Amino acid sequence: MMDYIALMERFVAENEEERQTKRLLLDTCRAFPDTILTRENELVHLTASGFVMDPALQRVLMVHHNIYNSWSWTGGHCDGDPDLLAVALREVREETGLTRIEPQSGEPASLDILPVQGHWKRGRYVCPHLHLSAAFVLIASREQPLREKPDENSGVQWFDAAQIPQVCAEPQMIPVYARILRRARRLGGVTPIDIF
């Protein structure tokens, strides 16, 4: 069984923002050991996200998220699964139809605390809460067929990484994507680009 706390402890923060986020995220996980992996905790959920890139690290696969009405990464709740990488891979498969996906690394590329607005889902109101997200860079060939997951998204599309600020309607997410993109390209030996 994957130790999600140890995985997040290994995350190497590169600046004060990342250090503070990592500290608070870990403190919160430790404060709710019995419910952080489930939706029983209505205030905060541990989630895993997938930032899917092509092997050349030039293009990003995004889904048009129904709740946020924006092109975004894939991801979702752990729902009891402590293996965050497995959760990220599962969510990519479910939300995009991709079948062949490899992690760039088994380590998170970003740890984030993300606010979620109150919304209706499957006929039930979900109160505002926080997602503690561990994001992974995942690599997939662009030749694979794609499909939507209509209950969650209305589109699945590859974009040039530089297009993210134009297609993402969530301004607070652009710095997150930019940070992950820079880290992925450095790890892959490709010159980092700034998207904002």
Side-chain angles (χ1 to χ4, degrees):
M1 180 181 294
M2 175 67 69
D3 182 349
Y4 63 93
I5 295 286
L7 179 79
M8 293 187 291
E9 284 175 336
R10 289 194 305 267
F11 176 75
V12 179
E14 296 182 347
N15 55 46
E16 186 61 20
E17 177 185 345
E18 290 186 350
R19 279 188 287 280
Q20 291 289 344
T21 299
K22 175 182 174 179
R23 178 193 55 76
L24 184 55
L25 190 148
L26 283 165
D27 287 351
T28 305
C29 286
R30 290 182 182 112
F32 298 104
D34 299 327
T35 60
I36 198 70
L37 290 172
T38 71
R39 299 185 210 206
E40 291 174 47
N41 186 327
E42 292 184 282
L43 182 61
V44 61
H45 305 145
L46 189 58
T47 63
S49 304
F51 191 80
V52 182
M53 301 191 75
D54 69 343
L57 305 175
Q58 299 292 328
R59 299 187 67 79
V60 179
L61 183 66
M62 303 188 93
V63 296
H64 195 268
H65 200 285
N66 291 344
I67 292 173
Y68 302 113
N69 194 27
S70 176
W71 289 99
S72 66
W73 59 10
T74 61
H77 295 84
C78 291
D79 290 328
D81 189 343
D83 187 336
L84 300 180
L85 177 57
V87 172
L89 289 164
R90 178 191 74 214
E91 293 292 326
V92 169
R93 290 183 184 104
E94 288 179 1
E95 294 179 27
T96 69
L98 289 176
T99 56
R100 296 181 313 281
I101 318 145
E102 295 293 328
Q104 184 185 36
S105 147
E107 302 298 319
S110 185
L111 297 178
D112 300 285
I113 301 171
L114 306 170
V116 178
Q117 295 178 348
H119 59 275
W120 287 90
K121 187 165 186 177
R122 298 182 183 113
R124 181 178 159 263
Y125 182 70
V126 179
C127 287
H129 58 279
L130 295 174
H131 281 178
L132 307 182
S133 170
F136 297 85
V137 174
L138 306 174
I139 307 299
S141 160
R142 290 172 41 210
E143 285 72 42
Q144 295 182 66
L146 303 173
R147 65 158 170 68
E148 298 169 4
K149 188 172 188 290
D151 65 324
E152 293 189 20
N153 66 60
S154 59
V156 181
Q157 186 174 330
W158 287 99
F159 292 96
D160 184 277
Q163 290 179 279
I164 291 174
Q166 286 76 52
V167 300
C168 176
E170 300 172 274
Q172 75 280 8
M173 291 303 298
I174 295 172
V176 174
Y177 298 148
R179 187 171 58 245
I180 295 171
L181 177 61
R182 284 192 297 270
R183 195 170 256 141
R185 289 176 63 93
R186 269 198 323 268
L187 184 61
V190 179
T191 304
I193 60 170
D194 285 319
I195 61 171
F196 70 100

